Amino acid sequence: MSHFDTLAARSDAHVMRSYGAPKGAFVRGQGTALFDGEGTAWLDFLCGLAVTSLGHAHPAVTEAVARQAATLVHTSNLYLSEPAVELAERLARITGWDDATTFFAQCGATANEAAIKLARKHGKRTADDKVRVVTLAGSFHGRTLATLEATGQPAKHGPFQPLAGFVDTVSHDDPAALRAAVTERTCAVLLEVVQGEGGVRPLAPEVLAAARDACDAHGALLIVDEVQTGVGRTGPWFAFQDTAIQPDVITVAKALANGMPIGACIARGEAAKVFEPGDHATTFGGNPVTCAAANAVIDTIEREGLLRTAAARATRLREGLHDLVERHELAIGVRGRGLLLGLELGDDRAAAIEAACRERYLLVNAVGSDVVRLAPPLTVERHEIDLALAALDDALTQVGA
Ligand SMILES: Cc1ncc(COP(=O)(O)O)c(C=O)c1O
């Protein structure tokens, strides 16, 4: 039996089956490569779902984690630690918000939970029933009960009904409907600038403008979920920085610590001062090891000029994908921003393309039935992009035949 088969059988016996059938097992990573139990190298154009943006085993992150783990791992939020305070300072700098404050969470969902609680408290200052949140169809905000409800994908709600009923979901491409949905009872609009899990779908500038205007008109907070788009994934530090809007709150997770579990809810202005002692807490928030990793990520991106490099790589990848669209009937378009790209298919064969890429040792994934997501590390090399495009070319030929 292969390493994967052995591990899959053991997992099947004792790990809860909330995920689909496993698609592989890896024992080591280096840069854009992942190595399986047989020593085969795979090209990782998914980054553990847009997480390992500096590639696997980046020496700066490894060193920061090892040093901090050998120094101090945990004290709780009863006490301060240097890495968390430093990270909050860095986040204020890269958001461009001098007055930013951060609540540290563990992941994207818990960062969004914090943001929703913050918005509720902010709304309640005006009226007791100002607690509703407007979200967009196709969005993804997490799997906890509140973030699940905020996720505009009803299929995921199914077995967990009834949900709390505080969310109003409107179309992702209808500014008028969005304006109409925001009322005096709305405490927040929550959206992604590029819907990741919803099919790598950038929102139109008019939708973003409508969200900002409606929030201003009704005293609601605009929360931008940067969990997938943040930390350089779509080009700038945060996707909102390429738009005309300024959110009140952003949430960040995934790539922030290159694979160490972290989440951050970052607020500016009035929103930065909403939480008071006792309002929100979590034992592991601001953990020194994960924060040290995140500080190393930010420093590395700055030191190595990775936002610039990634923009050049993104152009090459996008052009290569457009070339595939020209040559394959099955591929009909390219969407996304920076290194968060989706190859649109003319029908629902995205899972087949994902599988055909796996046969060629390339990791990408289907988001929805007709979009294949590519999210390579910001450090991806030109020749790795060419290899991935060649594998995708073959996969399209095979599946499209
Ligand atoms: C935009 C967005 N928000 C929130 C989440 C939830 O993050 P996590 O899985 O870390 O809880 C995700 C995860 O894919 C996401 O893409």
Side-chain angles (χ1 to χ4, degrees):
M1 276 226 283
S2 69
H3 170 255
F4 169 64
D5 290 333
T6 314
L7 207 56
R10 285 166 55 199
S11 169
D12 211 34
H14 292 295
V15 178
M16 279 196 198
R17 296 177 195 180
S18 66
Y19 299 99
K23 294 170 177 171
F26 296 101
V27 296
R28 188 168 72 79
Q30 188 66 58
T32 313
L34 277 171
F35 296 87
D36 63 23
E38 278 67 43
T40 304
W42 297 59
L43 210 44
D44 186 2
F45 268 51
L46 189 54
C47 279
L49 300 170
V51 169
T52 51
S53 284
L54 297 191
H56 297 284
H58 192 287
V61 181
T62 306
E63 199 269 329
V65 168
R67 187 165 25 86
Q68 189 59 44
T71 308
L72 181 67
V73 172
H74 177 84
T75 57
S76 87
N77 286 298
L78 299 181
Y79 314 102
L80 292 175
S81 76
E82 198 77 38
V85 177
E86 274 185 19
L87 180 55
E89 290 168 347
R90 279 177 173 78
L91 290 171
R93 180 162 51 76
I94 65 175
T95 51
W97 298 345
D98 289 347
D99 60 348
T101 61
T102 293
F103 177 87
F104 289 113
Q106 289 86 26
C107 61
T110 51
N112 282 331
E113 283 278 344
I116 292 169
K117 281 183 72 177
L118 186 157
R120 275 199 173 214
K121 184 171 180 210
H122 181 258
K124 272 172 169 285
R125 285 181 183 169
T126 309
D128 216 38
D129 64 350
K130 195 172 177 59
V131 295
R132 303 196 65 75
V133 174
V134 172
T135 64
L136 303 187
S139 61
F140 186 83
H141 298 296
R143 299 288 200 144
T144 60
L145 279 170
T147 60
L148 177 68
E149 184 170 350
T151 290
Q153 301 186 35
K156 294 188 165 61
H157 299 175
F160 307 104
Q161 298 282 7
L163 297 171
F166 70 94
V167 173
D168 301 302
T169 304
V170 293
S171 166
H172 60 77
D173 59 1
D174 186 344
L178 176 51
R179 278 180 215 275
V182 179
T183 71
E184 291 307 303
R185 294 186 62 203
T186 305
C187 69
V189 173
L190 169 61
L191 54 78
E192 300 151 86
V193 171
V194 182
Q195 293 189 337
E197 301 306 303
V200 192
R201 197 185 296 279
L203 296 187
E206 298 76 30
V207 172
L208 298 174
R212 184 65 271 177
D213 290 350
C215 284
D216 290 344
H218 294 282
L221 297 180
L222 177 58
I223 306 170
V224 171
D225 178 338
E226 295 266 9
V227 166
Q228 185 153 163
T229 50
V231 201
R233 172 59 50 201
T234 64
W237 280 112
F238 300 105
F240 82 82
Q241 291 167 331
D242 253 354
T243 74
I245 57 155
Q246 282 283 335
D248 301 295
V249 180
I250 62 170
T251 52
V252 187
K254 288 194 185 279
L256 182 54
N258 209 50
M260 297 297 283
I262 193 167
C265 166
I266 310 164
R268 71 176 175 100
E270 247 180 63
K273 301 186 192 82
V274 170
F275 278 153
E276 292 165 302
D279 281 339
H280 199 41
T282 176
T283 301
F284 288 122
N287 173 271
V289 180
T290 55
C291 289
N295 286 324
V297 165
I298 293 170
D299 290 352
T300 302
I301 291 175
E302 285 181 327
R303 195 179 53 249
E304 298 184 2
L306 285 178
L307 298 184
R308 222 174 22 256
T309 316
R313 301 290 190 269
T315 302
R316 189 182 187 98
L317 181 55
R318 187 182 272 274
E319 284 171 3
L321 292 173
H322 276 297
D323 178 54
L324 295 180
V325 170
E326 304 262 293
R327 293 190 292 104
H328 293 273
E329 215 170 293
L330 179 55
I332 61 164
V334 181
R335 62 193 193 206
R337 300 261 191 279
L339 285 172
L340 180 60
L341 292 173
L343 182 66
E344 282 176 73
L345 304 182
D347 59 37
D348 57 4
R349 280 183 279 177
I353 295 290
E354 177 189 320
C357 286
R358 263 202 313 278
E359 285 168 23
R360 291 160 177 83
Y361 303 107
L362 169 66
L363 298 178
V364 292
N365 87 327
V367 276
S369 58
D370 60 356
V371 180
V372 178
R373 170 174 49 189
L374 293 94
L378 309 187
T379 52
V380 66
E381 301 281 351
R382 287 189 195 85
H383 75 275
E384 293 169 332
I385 290 177
D386 297 343
L387 285 172
L389 288 167
L392 206 45
D393 196 356
D394 286 352
L396 284 163
T397 303
Q398 180 193 320
V399 175

